[in-house]
Amino acid sequence: MIQQNFSTKIVNLIMRYATNKYLTLKPSHLTQLPPPNPNKVKEKSYLLYIHIPFCMTLCTYCSFNRFLFQEDKAKAYFKSLRKEMLMVKELGYDFNAIYVGGGTTSIMPKELCETLDLAKSLFSIKEVSCESDPNHLHLEELEMFKGRIDRLSVGVQSFDDGILRKVGRYEKFGSGEEVIKKLQKAIGVLPILNVDLIFNFPNQTKEMLAKDLEIIKELKPEQVTLYPLMSSPSVKSILKRSIGEVSLKNEAQLYWQILETLKDDFSPLSSWAFSHKGSAIFDEYVVDNDEYVGIGSGSFSFLNGTLYVNTFSLKEYAHKINSGNMGVARERKYSKKAQLQYRLMVELFGGKASAKDFKQKYNANLEWDLFKELAFLKLTGNIYKKDGDYYPTTQGKYLFLSMMKEFYIGMDRVREESRAMLKEEDM
């Protein structure tokens, strides 16, 4: 059984220190993103991230850039989004994949479809992944998405009515039974439907998690993602008041339960994503794409070792775009060493770190440039070597899940800092 052992605790502390240190950004004076590297443009595949920051109601545990939906503001925003997409095209970028995140991405289905159609006319798009929620699984909308969206990821979080009530989702999306019925009608309409669940809620028992997992096994969605509950410091205090204090005491045991319960029906795509056996596999974009371009308010881009963040202000975003500029507001440059450490974490989270890939993609000798990191992971029993590549052990899968959680919490802090700067007129 997986335990939250000494190495996991040490690595989590290191990750917390690293995210505090490296996820501190400075204002950017750029009016647009840098163009693609001309020496790599033919061999390089980029991902296009599109952010849609509108929701009908705001969930307390979500720290993504989001605003209460107003139709006039949302329509204007989609127009700005498409203008920024054209600017990206003019820079010389091409993309083979799109990820649409939010907010509620399908809050205006026709606008979303128009935006995706433009992207497909401009770029070499092969795969489109889009987030959604149980209230946007109407058959009419799903039919609109055919040929446009390949993977729809639905945020369910839990089927337990007690948990749903505590986090405010019961009133918003309905009971667990109602959500199950919506999913039953939606599964099979698009190529891949992914169900997002969260585990390690305060007071969540093994029995409660077991029921969620049995429902997933009965539903047989093409994919399921099970995230540990993660929250930045301010969100953590909100959660403490509403559902109880977040604890790591049972997290490792619950993760072991997930692996054991799903092993006969689902194949792992990463430490927390699983594909139903026999269905098509759509790998997580963060693993497969080391560089990406983000458009929209609050989006992130990572290009040539630099992280760029677009303005979180809707007003400023519209002004920038209408002035012929892109939405870039802040940035941070990283050393090659820091980039290699990040890629080692991400690729082991995804199931394998290849020495050959490190050489081809990053011009790095994996075993020499990251000797200390690999030695620590091997000595603590978190990785093993086979045919020149490195793989996580069962214990290691939990370690890399924990590391990714800390990384995302760090990114949440960046979002919180950006949102804290907003004034009422920015909303």
Side-chain angles (χ1 to χ4, degrees):
M1 180 177 290
I2 302 171
Q3 302 290 332
Q4 194 187 42
N5 59 25
F6 179 73
S7 63
T8 306
K9 293 177 181 178
I10 290 295
V11 170
N12 281 346
L13 289 173
I14 293 171
M15 282 297 298
R16 210 159 299 168
Y17 169 80
T19 55
N20 284 331
K21 178 181 178 181
Y22 291 114
L23 289 178
T24 303
L25 283 69
K26 65 178 183 179
S28 176
H29 301 294
L30 295 179
T31 57
Q32 62 180 27
L33 290 171
N37 188 328
N39 298 322
K40 296 183 178 180
V41 70
K42 290 185 178 180
E43 60 189 60
K44 188 78 177 174
S45 62
Y46 294 91
L47 172 117
L48 176 64
Y49 176 84
I50 301 173
H51 193 73
I52 300 171
F54 298 101
C55 291
M56 289 297 185
T57 59
L58 305 181
C59 297
T60 56
Y61 55 83
C62 177
S63 56
F64 279 80
N65 191 34
R66 74 272 193 272
F67 303 92
L68 283 173
F69 175 72
Q70 295 180 44
E71 186 173 346
D72 57 337
K73 286 187 177 181
K75 279 190 174 182
Y77 178 82
F78 272 101
K79 289 181 181 178
S80 295
L81 198 62
R82 291 190 284 270
K83 286 181 182 178
E84 191 175 24
M85 188 186 297
L86 290 169
M87 295 179 199
V88 171
K89 174 67 176 180
E90 290 176 3
L91 286 173
Y93 282 99
D94 194 14
F95 306 97
N96 60 9
I98 291 174
Y99 192 96
V100 188
T104 305
T105 61
S106 51
I107 202 159
M108 299 187 78
K110 291 182 180 179
E111 291 285 347
L112 175 61
C113 289
E114 185 177 342
T115 302
L116 293 177
D117 288 345
L118 176 62
K120 290 194 172 189
S121 72
L122 295 174
F123 309 115
S124 307
I125 306 299
K126 297 177 183 177
E127 296 173 333
V128 176
S129 184
C130 187
E131 296 173 1
S132 188
D133 63 50
N135 284 348
H136 290 82
L137 294 179
H138 308 297
L139 189 58
E140 181 183 354
E141 288 185 15
L142 295 177
E143 289 291 334
M144 289 176 62
F145 296 152
K146 280 186 175 180
R148 292 185 169 106
I149 296 175
D150 303 287
R151 176 182 178 271
L152 191 68
S153 186
V154 184
V156 172
Q157 320 317 8
S158 177
F159 297 105
D160 184 272
D161 287 347
I163 290 176
L164 294 175
R165 283 192 175 94
K166 286 181 179 179
V167 298
R169 292 182 65 90
Y170 188 94
E171 295 77 11
K172 186 175 180 179
F173 300 115
S175 67
E177 189 61 37
E178 289 173 314
V179 172
I180 290 169
K181 290 178 181 177
K182 292 176 182 178
L183 290 171
Q184 287 172 332
K185 293 178 181 179
I187 292 171
V189 178
L190 299 176
I192 296 175
L193 187 134
N194 175 78
V195 176
D196 279 343
L197 294 178
I198 292 176
F199 69 96
N200 199 38
F201 283 104
N203 305 314
Q204 184 183 34
T205 64
K206 291 182 179 180
E207 290 72 25
M208 292 161 70
L209 178 60
K211 287 182 181 179
D212 279 356
L213 295 175
E214 285 306 314
I215 290 169
I216 285 296
K217 290 173 70 173
E218 291 173 11
L219 284 172
K220 298 182 178 67
E222 286 79 15
Q223 287 185 5
V224 59
T225 306
L226 291 118
Y227 302 98
L229 182 64
M230 57 185 91
S231 55
S232 56
S234 65
V235 173
K236 190 175 289 186
S237 64
I238 295 172
L239 288 173
K240 185 177 180 180
R241 292 195 298 270
S242 59
I243 62 175
E245 190 165 5
V246 180
S247 172
L248 298 180
K249 183 179 178 182
N250 298 318
E251 187 182 81
Q253 286 76 18
L254 293 176
Y255 182 61
W256 170 258
Q257 181 181 347
I258 290 166
L259 295 182
E260 282 295 296
T261 304
L262 296 183
K263 67 180 182 181
D264 293 333
D265 300 280
F266 289 81
S267 302
L269 298 175
S270 70
S271 286
W272 61 38
F274 304 84
S275 172
H276 192 267
K277 291 184 176 177
S279 65
I281 291 178
F282 190 111
D283 288 340
E284 293 196 5
Y285 77 89
V286 71
V287 177
D288 287 348
N289 297 273
D290 56 329
E291 293 194 296
Y292 47 89
V293 171
I295 61 172
S297 172
S299 65
F300 291 72
S301 302
F302 190 77
L303 299 166
N304 196 29
T306 301
L307 178 67
Y308 301 95
V309 180
N310 271 15
T311 176
F312 276 53
S313 164
L314 291 180
K315 180 181 178 181
E316 185 183 0
Y317 177 72
H319 176 72
K320 283 176 175 283
I321 300 302
N322 291 331
S323 301
N325 299 323
M326 297 184 72
V328 186
R330 295 199 290 162
E331 65 180 67
R332 173 66 185 260
K333 177 72 176 176
Y334 296 97
S335 66
K336 182 177 180 180
K337 179 74 170 184
Q339 293 177 61
L340 292 177
Q341 289 172 329
Y342 168 74
R343 288 311 306 175
L344 178 65
M345 174 192 71
V346 167
E347 294 187 19
L348 286 169
F349 167 81
K352 182 178 78 170
S354 166
K356 181 180 178 182
D357 286 348
F358 266 73
K359 184 65 178 176
Q360 290 180 342
K361 292 181 180 179
Y362 317 119
N363 191 29
N365 184 317
L366 175 60
E367 295 188 324
W368 178 258
D369 292 327
L370 296 175
F371 173 80
K372 291 181 180 178
E373 291 81 355
L374 291 173
F376 173 80
L377 292 170
K378 283 188 285 187
L379 287 171
T380 53
N382 287 295
I383 61 172
Y384 66 93
K385 187 176 181 180
K386 182 180 178 182
D387 299 328
D389 297 326
Y390 290 91
Y391 299 85
T393 61
T394 302
Q395 174 183 293
K397 288 181 180 180
Y398 176 66
L399 174 75
F400 298 117
L401 173 143
S402 298
M403 292 178 72
M404 285 298 290
K405 180 181 72 171
E406 288 296 332
F407 172 74
Y408 283 130
I409 289 173
M411 296 294 274
D412 282 345
R413 282 199 298 271
V414 174
R415 295 185 182 97
E416 284 187 351
E417 290 168 5
S418 297
R419 289 187 63 81
M421 300 175 191
L422 300 182
K423 300 176 183 178
E424 189 173 346
E425 58 265 28
D426 292 313
M427 307 295 187

